[in-house]
Amino acid sequence: MARYDKGHRDTTRRHILDIASTQFRESGIAAVGLAAIMSEAGLTNGAFYTHFSSKEDLVRAVLLDALERREQRHKDNLENGVALETTIRDYLSPRHRDRAATGCPTAALAAEIARHPKATRDAFTGKISDIIALMAAQMPQGSAAERRRRAISVYATMVGALQLSRAVNDTQLSEEILADAAKAAMHLAGEP
């Protein structure tokens, strides 16, 4: 039996997570099988179970990882004084729209997550709540409850607009959706 370098297991798990994350966001969770993920990872199907107990376990891990990365961006923006307007404009950009495989997991996967087991939805809910709290903290005005209400509206506007902009096959309409939603989200956030 071959011995692997220290950290090999963690590196392999990370590799599987990255591939699954890209494939899930690009094609949808239901459309992606474990065989496709493992094939792209250059591993056997049996090796999957060394790292995850099931596809649902992988889905949860992918969601937590991708949402933690997005949460870290919000934390960095908050710590560095980046205006919420910048976050909104970056999110609702043609570049983000065109890169679903590496973009926001919420916009790419929310409709599917609604049909997953409670444990997966609980993980998703916790991370979304954290992101909403960080967005509320970026808002300069209003009580904590008011900023939270506005952050929920802003985030829902952003996610929904990104989903619509990806779904339509008219480029002009897609760009209108992004631009108009960005204006609406900034208005909701109290940005000038």
Side-chain angles (χ1 to χ4, degrees):
M1 187 161 152
R3 294 189 54 85
Y4 293 104
D5 293 334
K6 185 177 182 177
H8 174 77
R9 181 176 158 82
D10 291 340
T11 301
T12 302
R13 180 182 168 87
R14 169 90 261 150
H15 185 56
I16 295 167
L17 272 175
D18 290 343
I19 289 168
S21 185
T22 298
Q23 288 187 8
F24 288 164
R25 286 187 260 186
E26 190 171 287
S27 302
I29 296 166
V32 175
L34 295 180
I37 293 167
M38 297 308 284
S39 175
E40 188 171 330
L43 299 165
T44 66
N45 288 355
F48 173 83
Y49 295 99
T50 302
H51 303 282
F52 303 96
S53 62
S54 64
K55 183 177 178 183
E56 196 62 34
D57 184 31
L58 174 63
V59 169
R60 265 190 310 280
V62 163
L63 278 175
L64 287 171
D65 180 67
L67 289 169
E68 283 169 1
R69 289 177 187 215
R70 187 144 294 275
E71 180 183 8
Q72 188 58 52
R73 279 190 196 157
H74 285 280
K75 285 179 182 176
D76 292 346
N77 286 348
L78 187 58
E79 289 172 11
N80 294 316
V82 174
L84 187 55
E85 176 183 358
T86 302
T87 301
I88 292 167
R89 289 193 184 281
D90 286 347
Y91 192 96
L92 294 172
S93 68
R95 180 188 49 76
H96 189 201
R97 175 200 60 207
D98 297 343
R99 295 183 178 161
T102 57
C104 176
T106 304
L109 303 173
E112 282 189 271
I113 297 305
R115 293 183 290 274
H116 277 256
K118 184 179 183 315
T120 301
R121 292 181 69 206
D122 286 348
F124 182 76
T125 300
K127 284 296 163 195
I128 296 305
S129 293
D130 293 344
I131 289 170
I132 288 169
L134 288 165
M135 289 180 79
Q138 277 187 280
M139 295 180 182
Q141 303 166 359
S143 68
E146 182 182 330
R147 289 193 324 262
R148 178 176 167 76
R149 280 193 302 276
R150 289 192 330 220
I152 289 169
S153 297
V154 168
Y155 195 56
T157 298
M158 291 166 56
V159 170
L162 187 61
Q163 289 173 321
L164 283 174
S165 75
R166 287 176 175 164
V168 300
N169 64 359
D170 177 328
T171 304
Q172 182 178 346
L173 176 58
S174 178
E175 292 186 4
E176 283 181 83
I177 290 167
L178 293 173
D180 291 343
K183 288 177 190 168
M186 286 185 288
H187 177 74
L188 288 166
E191 293 284 328

